[in-house]
Amino acid sequence: MAHVRRWGLWSLLLAFVACWIGVQASLPSTRAWDCLEASNDIDAPCWRLKPDCDGLFEGFGRPHAATPYTTNALGFRGTLPNQADPPTRRIGVLGASTLFGYGVTDTQTWRVHAQKQVDRQPERERIRWLNLAVAGYDLRKQIARADHHRKRGVDGFIFVVDVPLLGELDCRSWWRTQSPAARLIAPLRWWYLRDALKMSRPDTAQVEAALRRLVDWRRNHPDVDVWLAVLAPLGDKSSHQQQVANVNSSGVRVLDLSDRLAMTDPGRNPAAADYLLDNEEGWNAKGHDMLGRALADVWMADVAALAAATTATGKGDR
């Protein structure tokens, strides 16, 4: 009888282990987050990218073909600026996972295409684009991170947002994903990750508060050039135009990409899948090509318009 009970216990244990392995294997991969680490620093709220990290994207919630990515020694994606190059104006672009470029290789991100676009233009100064995006960084976190990069020689910043990024992600949810228990137990970690990545659509008051924070940051740093790049409309046509006008009048230049990128939005273009990853959790190489060229074109047009206005004002003063 005891022998039978022992075999029964072993059978239950083996069944439990088999079920556990099955559950672990069936969960979406969390390897995309392996290059993120928890942070309590004032200029890296919640989390930041690890320097010199080799990561692998296999999808957030839905499977995706394994795609490698890397971070450099300073903890952002892309090659480091060459110190031997001639004096260069460094433009840092801050955003979330879309801008970081999960699902495409280092040579396929928007930054590569934007850099090529700028390099084709006869400029008086060299321009170097930096991909400073971090997954899950809403506008408030982008602003905090800009302080870190400003102290390290970045001359100007483009903050890239859509409406959800004008809300705020809860840091506490993310910190739970880094606990020893969550790292050991995949279902627990995935549950925490799902909670950490919830981004509800902010209301009008939250949108206006986030934009005011950026305007205030710009006023506190008058020596830094600041742009706000908008990927999608900030409401209906009237409210979008009003928000853009309000920010423009504050000294923050708005780069409105919402019309140029409409074809990547499934809600506005039935063929948007051509620009999205197979699992629709970001943009594919074609989408990044479009984003890079659009961002560079609109930015260069704004810089040229600002230079022309400054020249005209100078002539008027004389």
Side-chain angles (χ1 to χ4, degrees), residues 252-283:
V252 175
R253 310 282 293 184
V254 177
L255 308 176
D256 191 353
L257 304 177
S258 58
D259 286 337
R260 290 197 55 166
L261 298 178
M263 62 182 62
T264 67
D265 183 353
R268 294 191 284 171
N269 176 26
D274 291 345
Y275 302 91
L276 302 176
L277 298 175
D278 292 340
N279 63 359
E280 298 184 358
E281 292 181 338
W283 289 342

Side-chain angles (χ1 to χ4, degrees), residues 43 74 76 80-83 86-94 125-130 132 145-157 217 221 223-225 227:
D43 60 0
L74 296 182
F76 59 88
L80 287 174
N82 190 340
Q83 299 300 322
T88 302
R89 185 184 185 194
R90 295 175 181 174
I91 304 298
V93 184
L94 295 120
E125 59 181 343
R126 289 176 57 88
I127 303 296
R128 173 75 179 188
W129 292 73
L130 305 176
L132 305 181
R145 199 58 178 156
D147 274 324
H148 169 85
H149 293 294
R150 182 180 60 84
K151 298 169 187 174
R152 287 155 180 77
V154 178
D155 305 294
F157 293 97
W217 189 84
H221 302 92
D223 57 322
V224 179
D225 294 323
W227 292 268

Side-chain angles (χ1 to χ4, degrees), residues 70 72 76-82 88-93 98-101 104-119 126-133 283 285 287-296:
T70 63
N72 57 41
F76 59 88
R77 193 168 189 183
T79 57
L80 287 174
N82 190 340
T88 302
R89 185 184 185 194
R90 295 175 181 174
I91 304 298
V93 184
T98 296
L99 266 288
F100 181 81
V104 297
T105 64
D106 293 343
T107 59
Q108 294 175 323
T109 65
W110 66 267
R111 190 205 70 82
V112 175
H113 303 291
Q115 190 67 57
K116 289 178 180 177
Q117 199 79 347
V118 171
D119 288 345
R126 289 176 57 88
I127 303 296
R128 173 75 179 188
W129 292 73
L130 305 176
N131 184 353
L132 305 181
W283 289 342
H288 275 268
D289 182 14
M290 173 179 290
L291 172 61
R293 289 186 288 109
L295 185 57

Side-chain angles (χ1 to χ4, degrees), residues 181-199:
R183 288 191 171 277
L184 179 64
I185 305 172
L188 182 62
R189 189 180 192 206
W190 178 246
W191 179 265
Y192 285 158
L193 275 172
R194 288 189 62 184
D195 191 39
L197 294 175
K198 287 178 181 176
M199 297 188 74

Side-chain angles (χ1 to χ4, degrees), residues 134-242:
V134 180
Y137 262 31
D138 53 56
L139 183 57
R140 294 176 186 228
K141 295 176 182 62
Q142 292 179 33
I143 293 169
R145 199 58 178 156
D147 274 324
H148 169 85
H149 293 294
R150 182 180 60 84
K151 298 169 187 174
R152 287 155 180 77
V154 178
D155 305 294
F157 293 97
I158 301 175
F159 297 87
V160 181
V161 299
D162 53 16
V163 173
L165 293 180
L166 297 174
E168 187 170 12
L169 279 172
D170 183 5
C171 293
R172 291 169 298 179
S173 298
W174 169 258
W175 289 331
R176 286 199 295 266
T177 71
Q178 304 300 298
S179 67
R183 288 191 171 277
L184 179 64
I185 305 172
L188 182 62
R189 189 180 192 206
W190 178 246
W191 179 265
Y192 285 158
L193 275 172
R194 288 189 62 184
D195 191 39
L197 294 175
K198 287 178 181 176
M199 297 188 74
S200 57
R201 188 177 182 88
D203 58 31
T204 301
Q206 291 173 310
V207 169
E208 292 176 349
L211 295 176
R212 279 198 303 271
R213 184 181 290 256
L214 177 60
V215 170
D216 290 342
W217 189 84
R218 169 68 179 84
R219 287 173 179 161
N220 292 331
H221 302 92
D223 57 322
V224 179
D225 294 323
V226 177
W227 292 268
L228 176 72
V230 179
L231 300 182
L234 302 177
D236 59 40
K237 185 174 181 180
S238 176
S239 60
H240 173 76
Q241 291 175 342
Q242 186 60 54

